[in-house]
Amino acid sequence: LQTRMQSLQPDPKAQYRSVYEALKKIVLTEGIWTPLRGINVTMLGAGPAHAMYFACYEKMKKSLSEVIQHGGNSHLANGIAGSVATLLHDAVMNPAEVVKQRMQMFNSPYKSVLSCIRTVQKTEGFGAFYRSYTTQLTMNIPFQAIHFITYEFMQEQINPHREYNPRSHIVSGAVAGAVAAAATTPLDVCKTLLNTQENMALSSVNISGHLSGMLNAFKTVYQLGGVPGYFRGVQARVIYQMPSTAIAWSVYEFFKYFLTKHKLERRT
């Protein structure tokens, strides 16, 4: 839904006024499985990407906190650790995101994930999978900085003793995801344009060939939609990120608690 609603010059048959209308229209006209197209490639990359992401975050957070605040909870350390962890995460997830978004566009010519990968590789080269990588990092570094700082701040407010408390982790994760998602929507719109290379949109502003670079994407989005164009799909983005970050944090905190407890029991 997010990809469709961020389309800057959609087909008349793919114009939606709200998240609910978009979902209803897609299911009725294109089938119940259409909103899930490309989800398998995302799931395939998510496992190793998140493993590296949280491992890097935990290690860097502890190391930086020792230096900045002598082992205390440093928001600066949390933000930097989350930002660095993003470099590893996005290196895995960026190609998966390109494939997923291309398969989710209206009238997508790709029949399967493998077909999409082969066609893009053959027609546009390997670089197409990383065309939006710098934009993705430029978006995700502030996203993760805001995300981690907000999460840790929320934990300080509702779980000051930092005990394992599933409800506090879910609430903190959801709020952190919503705040970070809303703040970085303009960059996400640019990323979607770079990933999908909408022919109708690009030709209407006399761009031939492939659009590349965040600056060019920003200019093109403004030409096509003005300031409101930067916030297309903000509702869908927030709705998507809230449960996503809530689940991620609750699962992460559970395994962190479980493994730490198991380790202490073995030592005892």
Side-chain angles (χ1 to χ4, degrees):
L1 294 181
Q2 183 182 324
T3 300
R4 293 286 187 94
M5 294 187 77
Q6 286 181 344
S7 178
L8 293 165
Q9 286 204 347
D11 187 283
K13 294 178 182 177
Q15 291 181 347
Y16 317 108
R17 287 173 293 186
S18 67
V19 174
Y20 174 73
E21 185 199 347
L23 181 60
K24 183 180 176 182
K25 198 170 181 180
I26 290 169
V27 170
L28 289 175
T29 60
E30 301 174 52
I32 195 169
W33 300 113
T34 300
L36 298 177
R37 290 198 76 200
I39 196 73
N40 49 348
V41 72
T42 304
M43 291 172 67
L44 191 66
H50 278 77
M52 291 188 292
Y53 175 71
F54 278 113
C56 179
Y57 168 70
E58 195 64 35
K59 180 68 177 174
M60 284 207 67
K61 182 178 78 168
K62 287 179 180 176
S63 301
L64 289 171
S65 291
E66 285 291 337
V67 175
I68 297 170
Q69 208 161 312
H70 305 292
N73 180 40
S74 167
H75 290 309
L76 179 61
N78 297 333
I80 294 171
S83 300
V84 174
T86 303
L87 293 170
L88 293 174
H89 176 272
D90 287 1
V92 176
M93 288 305 295
N94 203 84
E97 184 77 2
V98 171
V99 174
K100 185 197 78 171
Q101 289 192 322
R102 290 198 180 220
M103 292 189 69
Q104 289 180 345
M105 289 299 290
F106 183 72
N107 278 339
S108 173
Y110 311 109
K111 302 299 179 186
S112 68
V113 168
L114 198 58
S115 166
C116 181
I117 293 170
R118 284 175 175 169
T119 305
V120 172
Q121 167 69 29
K122 188 177 179 180
T123 58
E124 300 178 48
F126 181 76
F129 294 108
Y130 283 94
R131 191 177 287 127
S132 65
Y133 184 56
T134 52
T135 304
Q136 181 87 339
L137 288 176
T138 307
M139 178 185 73
N140 276 354
I141 285 172
F143 177 93
Q144 296 303 350
I146 296 167
H147 174 207
F148 281 104
I149 289 169
T150 305
Y151 178 81
E152 298 290 352
F153 173 78
M154 287 296 296
Q155 282 290 283
E156 285 182 348
Q157 304 307 308
I158 62 178
N159 186 20
H161 299 297
R162 308 309 293 265
E163 298 170 342
Y164 174 63
N165 184 328
R167 186 179 296 177
S168 79
H169 302 317
I170 290 169
V171 171
S172 298
V175 171
V179 171
T184 56
T185 297
L187 289 161
D188 195 48
V189 172
C190 295
K191 183 201 75 173
T192 298
L193 181 61
L194 287 170
N195 277 349
T196 56
Q197 299 288 320
E198 293 177 64
N199 291 327
M200 286 178 63
L202 298 181
S203 61
S204 69
V205 288
N206 298 318
I207 294 176
S208 57
H210 299 297
L211 183 70
S212 62
M214 187 184 67
L215 188 59
N216 289 332
F218 255 95
K219 288 178 181 176
T220 306
V221 170
Y222 185 77
Q223 285 177 287
L224 291 164
V227 173
Y230 292 117
F231 291 93
R232 290 183 67 91
V234 65
Q235 285 180 308
R237 180 164 162 76
V238 170
I239 290 168
Y240 166 77
Q241 286 294 347
M242 284 183 74
S244 174
T245 48
I247 292 167
W249 277 110
S250 59
V251 172
Y252 170 67
E253 294 283 7
F254 167 75
F255 278 103
K256 185 179 172 182
Y257 165 76
F258 176 79
L259 294 171
T260 304
K261 185 182 177 184
H262 185 64
K263 193 175 180 181
L264 287 171
E265 285 175 352
R266 286 184 66 184
R267 283 181 181 176
T268 305

